[in-house]
Amino acid sequence: MKKTYKIEVDCANCANLMEDATRKTEGVSTATVNFMTQKMTVEFADGYEPKAVMKNVLKACRKVEPDCEIAI
Protein backbone atom coordinates (compact mmCIF):
# COMPACT_ATOMS: atom_id res chain seq x y z
CA MET A 1 0.00 0.00 0.00
CA LYS A 2 1.30 3.45 -0.92
CA LYS A 3 0.22 6.67 0.80
CA THR A 4 1.16 10.33 0.51
CA TYR A 5 1.42 12.64 3.53
CA LYS A 6 1.91 16.38 3.98
CA ILE A 7 5.20 17.05 5.77
CA GLU A 8 6.91 20.21 6.99
CA VAL A 9 10.56 20.22 5.92
CA ASP A 10 12.85 23.25 6.33
CA CYS A 11 15.54 22.40 3.77
CA ALA A 12 16.40 19.99 0.97
CA ASN A 13 19.18 18.36 3.00
CA CYS A 14 16.75 17.65 5.85
CA ALA A 15 14.33 16.14 3.34
CA ASN A 16 17.07 13.74 2.17
CA LEU A 17 17.95 12.79 5.74
CA MET A 18 14.28 12.21 6.59
CA GLU A 19 13.86 10.09 3.48
CA ASP A 20 16.79 7.91 4.57
CA ALA A 21 15.43 7.64 8.13
CA THR A 22 11.99 6.67 6.81
CA ARG A 23 13.42 3.97 4.54
CA LYS A 24 15.18 2.40 7.54
CA THR A 25 11.95 2.25 9.57
CA GLU A 26 10.46 -1.22 10.01
CA GLY A 27 7.39 -1.71 7.83
CA VAL A 28 8.50 0.72 5.09
CA SER A 29 9.30 -0.68 1.64
CA THR A 30 10.18 2.61 -0.06
CA ALA A 31 9.89 6.30 0.75
CA THR A 32 10.42 9.64 -0.96
CA VAL A 33 10.34 13.12 0.52
CA ASN A 34 9.85 16.05 -1.86
CA PHE A 35 11.07 19.32 -0.37
CA MET A 36 9.45 21.46 -3.07
CA THR A 37 5.93 20.04 -2.66
CA GLN A 38 6.33 19.33 1.09
CA LYS A 39 5.05 15.77 0.58
CA MET A 40 6.21 12.34 1.69
CA THR A 41 5.21 9.20 -0.19
CA VAL A 42 5.56 5.94 1.70
CA GLU A 43 5.01 2.40 0.43
CA PHE A 44 4.31 0.02 3.29
CA ALA A 45 5.44 -3.59 3.53
CA ASP A 46 2.74 -6.25 3.55
CA GLY A 47 1.25 -7.00 6.96
CA TYR A 48 2.03 -3.62 8.54
CA GLU A 49 -0.55 -1.10 9.76
CA PRO A 50 0.23 2.28 8.14
CA LYS A 51 -0.74 4.37 11.20
CA ALA A 52 1.53 2.36 13.50
CA VAL A 53 4.42 2.55 11.04
CA MET A 54 3.93 6.30 10.56
CA LYS A 55 4.25 6.90 14.31
CA ASN A 56 7.72 5.33 14.10
CA VAL A 57 8.48 7.30 10.93
CA LEU A 58 7.59 10.54 12.75
CA LYS A 59 9.94 9.60 15.62
CA ALA A 60 12.74 8.91 13.13
CA CYS A 61 12.15 12.19 11.29
CA ARG A 62 12.14 14.15 14.55
CA LYS A 63 15.67 12.90 15.20
CA VAL A 64 16.64 14.78 12.04
CA GLU A 65 14.44 17.84 12.61
CA PRO A 66 12.87 18.07 16.10
CA ASP A 67 9.94 20.26 14.99
CA CYS A 68 8.96 17.99 12.09
CA GLU A 69 5.24 17.49 11.55
CA ILE A 70 3.61 14.85 9.35
CA ALA A 71 -0.14 14.98 8.70
CA ILE A 72 -1.00 11.38 9.61
Side-chain angles (χ1 to χ4, degrees), residues 13-71:
N13 185 50
C14 291
N16 288 335
L17 293 172
M18 287 182 187
E19 187 175 292
D20 289 341
T22 300
R23 287 182 179 155
K24 293 176 184 173
T25 303
E26 185 178 351
V28 174
S29 293
T30 63
T32 56
V33 176
N34 188 314
F35 170 67
M36 296 302 288
T37 62
Q38 297 283 298
K39 292 192 178 179
M40 170 188 273
T41 303
V42 180
E43 186 171 346
F44 300 95
D46 291 337
Y48 285 89
E49 176 60 40
K51 282 192 178 190
V53 173
M54 287 308 293
K55 285 183 183 180
N56 292 329
V57 167
L58 181 58
K59 285 180 191 175
C61 287
R62 284 192 172 157
K63 289 180 183 176
V64 175
E65 192 173 294
D67 62 346
C68 172
E69 290 297 328
I70 301 173

Side-chain angles (χ1 to χ4, degrees), residues 3-19:
K3 288 187 152 203
T4 301
Y5 300 91
K6 182 163 176 29
I7 185 171
E8 292 181 23
V9 183
D10 293 337
C11 68
N13 185 50
C14 291
N16 288 335
L17 293 172
M18 287 182 187
E19 187 175 292

